Amino acid sequence: MAQSDVPVSAAAAGSLAEEFAVPSHVEEVKKVMSEFAEQHEAAGRRVVLITSGGTKVPLESRTVRFLDNFSSGRRGASSAEYFLDSGYAVIFLHRHRSLYPYTRLYTGINLLDSLKFEPGDEDTSRVLLNKKELPNIVTVLKRYQAVKAAGLLLPVEFNTLSEYLHLLKAAAQALSSIGSKAMFYLAAAVSDFYIPASEMPEHKIQSSNGPLQISMKMVPKMLRPLVKDWAPKAFVISFKLETDPSILLERARRALDTYNHQVVVANILDTRRGYVVVVTKNSQQELSLTDEEVQKEIEIEDKIVRNLLAAHTHFMSQ
Amino acid sequence: MAQSDVPVSAAAAGSLAEEFAVPSHVEEVKKVMSEFAEQHEAAGRRVVLITSGGTKVPLESRTVRFLDNFSSGRRGASSAEYFLDSGYAVIFLHRHRSLYPYTRLYTGINLLDSLKFEPGDEDTSRVLLNKKELPNIVTVLKRYQAVKAAGLLLPVEFNTLSEYLHLLKAAAQALSSIGSKAMFYLAAAVSDFYIPASEMPEHKIQSSNGPLQISMKMVPKMLRPLVKDWAPKAFVISFKLETDPSILLERARRALDTYNHQVVVANILDTRRGYVVVVTKNSQQELSLTDEEVQKEIEIEDKIVRNLLAAHTHFMSQ
């Protein structure tokens, strides 16, 4: 289905609402994204839409069970910080409770373990943070507050596959007005499969009925209508994650041929934190971290973003 | 399978390790749980093992996709607090990153939004918490620190179904030495289905191969060997969550007949935060919250734990 032309485009562009329930707030969010993009474009900034985290696919309509994709949202959240450092305004379309820019650095830490109560009366008693428990907290807090005060980061949440698909479409339409100044950095781990609402059992599947057979349909590829119809002038990056290195580059090239976008960032599950290949129609460039860089806690996303920043500049000048 | 005797018991008790990979740290954790139980029993305390959160079931051996169960871990985390208030020592066997006692109250809050930097030099600069952003933080922090200082809460994490099954078995064996002073409060949402390692594809399932067919086996019920072999003197509570109210009580009674444990807490997905039925072999008791109690932010788990505390006292005296 990924290779055939008509059904994919039709399903994604036309009948998305037939197969996937429309979230009630999608028009409102679209308006907010539109205003965000126009305001920052007027101020001379580029705007990147980052998708991040995995999607949930319900197996029952009153959902107890669901299919999920591996993704903490680490890559999306850290990339957002580097894009902000590079002067971009960022729309962060992320899975509810996936990692978030800046706070991601303290995710494993139990907040209550790093607080200290300093007694006093109602007004003078205070709760202090033990700075040693939270590395670089002062620097990170200042940067977070500066980004927030400047209104450079617009967070939008999704949970299910349906919400993701509709919000991505809305974002693409919202950003089309700023043309080539828009970048799409599609790092979310989106399910390839789903169960159509019409084939879904209403109630929790009973285990006493015996072993479970699940039959799932393929999710329409959004990349084609995004590139072709919704935001045709934008600079678009997709990600390809595989576990088998031998098929990675071929899959990346095939995606570029199929969807006609600008860049695929290809990576392997086991090495994704230290190695990627940035693939375009006529180039491929390996990015990796040296041992020294790993020790200095330099992140691969720093290099990815720097590479794409240059490519985006070149793209805009064409 | 839930109704037939031999294969379930055999699979769960005997060949668990054949079907589900043994986590490397299970013996070490078992020893820690044993010592925890014996130490608190010697100090005159009862010990409750709470399971909390959903399990992950991998679909691929180098896992990108998995089947998950709906569960934030809210019920387990809040119940732990009420058991601690009631004098129990608590082993909290929970899904990695599910809600945690006390910190659960601040889960939706972005930490960095509630911090304020107070400048100074290296030693005098401080990071303060805005108390207004975190309701009751001072009370909660004091209670958390008291529980921690007294060593009353032992957290143990799981992620996959395999880890859960092996750690539950280890916990049951570790607690068997304190007999009827042990309670099992099995609130985790455990998958009923899994894919055996032998039938699992190694690599990420390719979407270009077309629609996905998944065939899953039933997970062995651990409740039977737990009650029969591992901790036969303990007071055991299981949970039954359904979406269809018409079958709920019948399922609860059937579970009691099948596994021969003491209590089923039965609940419906949509109303689970305000209504449960505590079912035993010869009683059933509805617990619910009045509008006034909801306004006062009283939680249903407060009532569940109080009910079970009395039942446990009665059970121990028999």
Side-chain angles (χ1 to χ4, degrees):
Chain A
M1 205 157 154
Q3 280 74 47
S4 74
D5 235 16
V6 181
V8 172
S9 232
S15 61
L16 193 62
E18 283 169 32
E19 294 264 348
F20 300 96
V22 185
S24 60
H25 64 313
V26 69
E27 284 304 319
E28 190 188 326
V29 175
K30 187 172 166 180
K31 192 160 161 262
V32 173
M33 291 189 289
S34 257
E35 287 166 2
F36 180 87
E38 279 157 24
Q39 170 209 332
H40 285 293
E41 199 245 357
R45 288 187 198 97
R46 306 176 192 175
V47 179
V48 60
L49 176 102
I50 298 175
T51 69
S52 186
T55 59
K56 259 167 93 157
V57 177
L59 301 186
E60 298 136 331
S61 56
R62 302 196 196 182
T63 307
V64 175
R65 301 191 179 91
F66 52 89
L67 188 79
D68 211 323
N69 272 51
F70 161 84
S71 177
S72 65
R74 207 194 55 80
R75 176 152 284 160
S78 62
S79 299
E81 296 171 19
Y82 296 112
F83 276 115
L84 288 162
D85 289 346
S86 306
Y88 281 73
V90 174
I91 301 178
F92 189 61
L93 179 58
H94 64 291
R95 164 78 172 270
H96 178 61
R97 296 222 173 126
S98 64
L99 294 183
Y100 195 80
Y102 307 109
T103 56
R104 73 177 171 109
L105 298 161
Y106 310 112
T107 298
I109 296 168
N110 180 335
L111 169 66
L112 296 177
D113 281 331
S114 41
L115 296 181
K116 201 183 133 190
F117 179 62
E118 208 177 63
D121 62 28
E122 185 70 25
D123 291 329
T124 59
S125 80
R126 326 216 279 182
V127 180
L128 296 176
L129 200 72
N130 183 347
K131 284 183 286 178
K132 282 174 207 145
E133 301 269 342
L134 305 179
N136 300 321
I137 182 68
V138 173
T139 314
V140 173
L141 179 59
K142 285 180 181 170
R143 182 75 188 122
Y144 173 80
Q145 288 174 338
V147 163
K148 199 176 163 184
L152 290 168
L153 175 62
L154 175 65
V156 179
E157 287 193 359
F158 64 86
N159 216 334
T160 63
L161 174 68
S162 291
E163 287 164 0
Y164 169 82
L165 294 175
H166 284 288
L167 289 168
L168 177 61
K169 179 178 175 181
Q173 292 172 332
L175 265 67
S176 66
S177 68
I178 65 164
S180 66
K181 287 185 185 161
M183 185 195 291
F184 289 83
Y185 184 86
L186 306 173
V190 182
S191 179
D192 291 314
F193 305 103
Y194 75 106
I195 300 182
S198 58
E199 292 170 26
M200 217 183 277
E202 179 186 358
H203 287 297
K204 186 182 173 188
I205 300 162
Q206 289 298 326
S207 60
S208 50
N209 297 345
L212 182 63
Q213 296 287 339
I214 303 173
S215 178
M216 306 186 88
K217 276 180 72 172
M218 293 189 53
V219 172
K221 299 290 180 188
M222 302 289 283
L223 205 44
R224 185 190 303 273
L226 191 152
V227 173
K228 200 161 165 272
D229 305 320
W230 300 333
K233 290 184 185 160
F235 187 62
V236 178
I237 297 106
S238 72
F239 282 74
K240 196 80 180 161
L241 175 71
E242 294 291 348
T243 58
D244 181 356
S246 71
I247 60 169
L248 182 65
L249 286 178
E250 180 247 322
R251 300 270 161 186
R253 298 229 155 268
R254 196 199 287 181
L256 286 175
D257 286 345
T258 308
Y259 304 114
N260 209 28
H261 60 307
Q262 284 72 42
V263 181
V264 172
V265 178
N267 57 138
I268 296 291
L269 186 63
D270 292 340
T271 57
R272 67 195 185 283
R273 286 184 168 219
Y275 174 79
V276 303
V277 189
V278 179
V279 185
T280 71
K281 285 221 167 81
N282 41 35
S283 74
Q284 67 189 52
Q285 193 173 349
E286 300 189 9
L287 304 179
S288 60
L289 296 175
T290 64
D291 291 347
E292 204 190 332
E293 287 171 329
V294 171
Q295 270 199 328
K296 283 189 193 159
E297 300 189 345
I298 289 173
E299 295 178 308
I300 192 78
E301 289 77 16
D302 189 357
K303 297 194 175 191
I304 298 174
V305 169
R306 243 182 291 172
N307 184 296
L308 295 175
L309 173 65
H312 191 194
T313 304
H314 180 71
F315 177 81
M316 283 168 60
S317 72
Q318 284 178 323
Chain B
M1 205 159 153
Q3 280 75 46
S4 74
D5 235 15
V6 181
V8 173
S9 233
S15 60
L16 193 61
E18 283 168 31
E19 295 262 347
F20 300 96
V22 184
S24 59
H25 65 314
V26 69
E27 284 304 318
E28 189 189 327
V29 174
K30 187 173 167 181
K31 192 159 162 263
V32 173
M33 292 190 287
S34 256
E35 287 166 0
F36 181 87
E38 280 157 25
Q39 169 210 334
H40 285 293
E41 198 246 357
R45 287 187 199 97
R46 305 176 192 175
V47 179
V48 60
L49 176 104
I50 298 175
T51 68
S52 186
T55 58
K56 258 168 95 158
V57 177
L59 302 187
E60 298 136 330
S61 56
R62 303 199 195 179
T63 308
V64 174
R65 301 191 179 91
F66 52 90
L67 188 79
D68 211 324
N69 274 52
F70 162 83
S71 176
S72 65
R74 207 195 55 79
R75 176 153 282 158
S78 64
S79 299
E81 295 171 20
Y82 297 112
F83 276 114
L84 288 162
D85 289 345
S86 306
Y88 281 74
V90 175
I91 300 177
F92 189 61
L93 179 57
H94 64 291
R95 164 78 172 270
H96 178 63
R97 297 223 172 124
S98 64
L99 294 183
Y100 194 81
Y102 307 109
T103 55
R104 73 178 170 109
L105 298 160
Y106 310 111
T107 299
I109 296 169
N110 180 335
L111 171 65
L112 296 178
D113 282 331
S114 41
L115 295 181
K116 201 182 132 190
F117 179 61
E118 210 178 63
D121 62 29
E122 184 70 25
D123 291 329
T124 59
S125 80
R126 322 210 292 175
V127 180
L128 295 175
L129 201 71
N130 183 348
K131 285 183 286 179
K132 283 175 205 144
E133 302 268 343
L134 304 178
N136 300 319
I137 182 67
V138 174
T139 315
V140 172
L141 179 60
K142 284 181 181 171
R143 181 75 189 122
Y144 173 79
Q145 288 174 337
V147 163
K148 198 176 165 184
L152 291 167
L153 176 62
L154 176 64
V156 180
E157 287 192 0
F158 64 86
N159 217 332
T160 63
L161 174 67
S162 291
E163 287 165 0
Y164 169 82
L165 294 175
H166 284 287
L167 289 168
L168 177 61
K169 180 178 175 181
Q173 292 173 332
L175 265 66
S176 66
S177 68
I178 65 164
S180 66
K181 286 183 185 161
M183 186 194 289
F184 290 82
Y185 184 87
L186 305 173
V190 182
S191 179
D192 291 314
F193 305 103
Y194 75 107
I195 300 183
S198 57
E199 292 171 28
M200 215 182 276
E202 180 185 355
H203 287 297
K204 185 180 175 190
I205 299 163
Q206 289 298 328
S207 62
S208 49
N209 297 345
L212 181 63
Q213 296 288 339
I214 304 173
S215 178
M216 305 186 87
K217 276 181 73 171
M218 293 191 53
V219 172
K221 299 290 180 188
M222 300 289 282
L223 206 43
R224 185 190 301 273
L226 190 153
V227 172
K228 201 161 164 272
D229 304 321
W230 301 333
K233 292 182 181 161
F235 187 63
V236 178
I237 297 105
S238 72
F239 282 74
K240 196 78 179 162
L241 175 73
E242 294 290 349
T243 58
D244 181 357
S246 72
I247 61 168
L248 181 65
L249 286 178
E250 180 247 323
R251 300 270 160 186
R253 297 228 155 270
R254 196 198 286 180
L256 286 175
D257 286 346
T258 307
Y259 304 114
N260 209 30
H261 61 307
Q262 284 71 44
V263 181
V264 172
V265 178
N267 59 137
I268 296 290
L269 186 64
D270 291 341
T271 57
R272 69 195 185 282
R273 285 184 168 220
Y275 174 78
V276 302
V277 189
V278 179
V279 184
T280 70
K281 284 224 166 80
N282 41 37
S283 75
Q284 67 188 53
Q285 194 174 349
E286 300 189 7
L287 304 178
S288 60
L289 295 176
T290 64
D291 291 347
E292 203 190 333
E293 288 171 328
V294 171
Q295 270 198 329
K296 284 188 191 160
E297 300 189 346
I298 289 174
E299 296 178 307
I300 192 77
E301 289 77 17
D302 189 357
K303 297 193 175 192
I304 298 173
V305 169
R306 244 183 289 175
N307 184 296
L308 294 175
L309 173 65
H312 192 194
T313 303
H314 180 70
F315 177 80
M316 284 167 57
S317 73
Q318 285 178 325

